[in-house]
Amino acid sequence: MKTLIVYAHPEPRSLNGSLKDLAVATLETAGHEVRVSDLYAMGWKATVDAADYGPDASSPLQVARDSGRAFDAGTLSADVRGEHDKLLWADTVIFQFPLWWYTMPAILKGWVDRVFTYNFAYGVGEHNDMKYGERFGEGTLAGRRALLSVTVGGPESHYTARGINGPIDDLLFPIQHGILYYPGIEVLPPFVLYRTDRMTAEDFPDVAKAWEQRLLTLDSTEPIAFRRQNFGDYEIPSLQLKDGLEPVGRTGFGLHVRG
């Protein structure tokens, strides 16, 4: 297995840093190849601008169109092309980050904004009045798996259906479904640690054991059963879920998970 770890935390001695290091050691010991994109250490530029697209940038800037032209021409900035190469190399992608303000850190969102370019992560396949391309289960990155490893400061009870922050699956849905599943990546159930602000060194061995177990079962873990766009579950062209497919008692984001 070839694994890319995209890591977003500014402190190498943090819990996130320890989980990243443990993932590298565990997977390499098991015989897997591992590459790491340490975004803070790389000084990753989080903002999209004309410099990303070189001579293919227009004025005024048109991000989708310009990124697609630059991708096709091979003129995207070198750092973006490097991340494309890593994604195409990988079988599995692990995203290691803290949940900040209900989402990923800005530097990681900036990685998505710049790396998931038109004609690479979106805009692929046939587009017409009856088909919106190869996405949500198809696309350039199909055949790969991804796992979110997320640290959360608050207790687990705050992130449930009746919890004040809402279900953790709902908070992660825009990342897991909207970013990763969109270009075809199968998404494994996340590894979430709660109340990490109060975690002590004495707690880490149990955390490490649980993390190692998840890492060593990546191949056998069933992905989240998100519905595929072009395989009959949605009306065309509205892309509304067809009547009768709603799981009993399920609403909202959960409608887009089978079973």
Side-chain angles (χ1 to χ4, degrees), residues 12-191:
R13 296 167 295 180
S14 65
L15 174 60
N16 277 268
S18 296
L19 293 171
K20 178 262 296 178
D21 292 342
L22 181 58
V24 173
T26 300
L27 292 171
E28 288 185 341
T29 298
H32 304 302
E33 298 177 66
V34 182
R35 297 181 184 177
V36 177
S37 289
D38 183 340
L39 301 185
Y40 284 95
M42 293 161 63
W44 182 263
K45 179 173 77 74
T47 54
V48 171
D49 58 29
D52 288 348
Y53 312 133
D56 292 289
S58 60
S59 182
L61 186 66
Q62 297 176 298
V63 171
R65 184 174 299 174
D66 291 347
S67 73
R69 282 198 297 257
F71 172 76
D72 291 341
T75 56
L76 287 165
S77 61
D79 57 348
V80 171
R81 285 186 280 114
E83 298 306 293
H84 283 181
D85 290 342
K86 293 177 190 176
L87 283 168
L88 295 175
W89 166 84
D91 303 311
T92 305
V93 187
I94 296 172
F95 294 86
Q96 181 66 60
F97 63 93
L99 193 72
W100 285 349
W101 288 105
Y102 299 90
T103 188
M104 62 177 70
I107 197 170
L108 181 52
K109 180 54 164 61
W111 181 89
V112 173
D113 289 346
R114 296 184 62 225
V115 172
F116 279 34
T117 60
Y118 196 79
N119 291 346
F120 177 75
Y122 70 106
V124 302
E126 182 181 355
H127 285 72
N128 54 48
D129 290 342
M130 297 301 291
K131 188 171 182 181
Y132 288 81
E134 295 173 355
R135 58 180 192 167
F136 296 115
E138 301 175 276
T140 305
L141 298 178
R144 291 161 182 80
R145 291 181 153 206
L147 169 68
L148 302 187
S149 175
V150 185
T151 61
V152 179
E156 185 173 2
S157 63
H158 294 187
Y159 294 87
T160 61
R162 297 179 68 86
I164 193 167
N165 293 323
I168 191 66
D169 288 341
D170 283 7
L171 294 180
L172 297 180
F173 184 88
I175 302 172
Q176 295 187 140
H177 184 269
I179 293 174
L180 299 176
Y181 192 60
Y182 190 108
I185 301 173
E186 291 188 319
V187 185
L188 304 181
F191 181 78

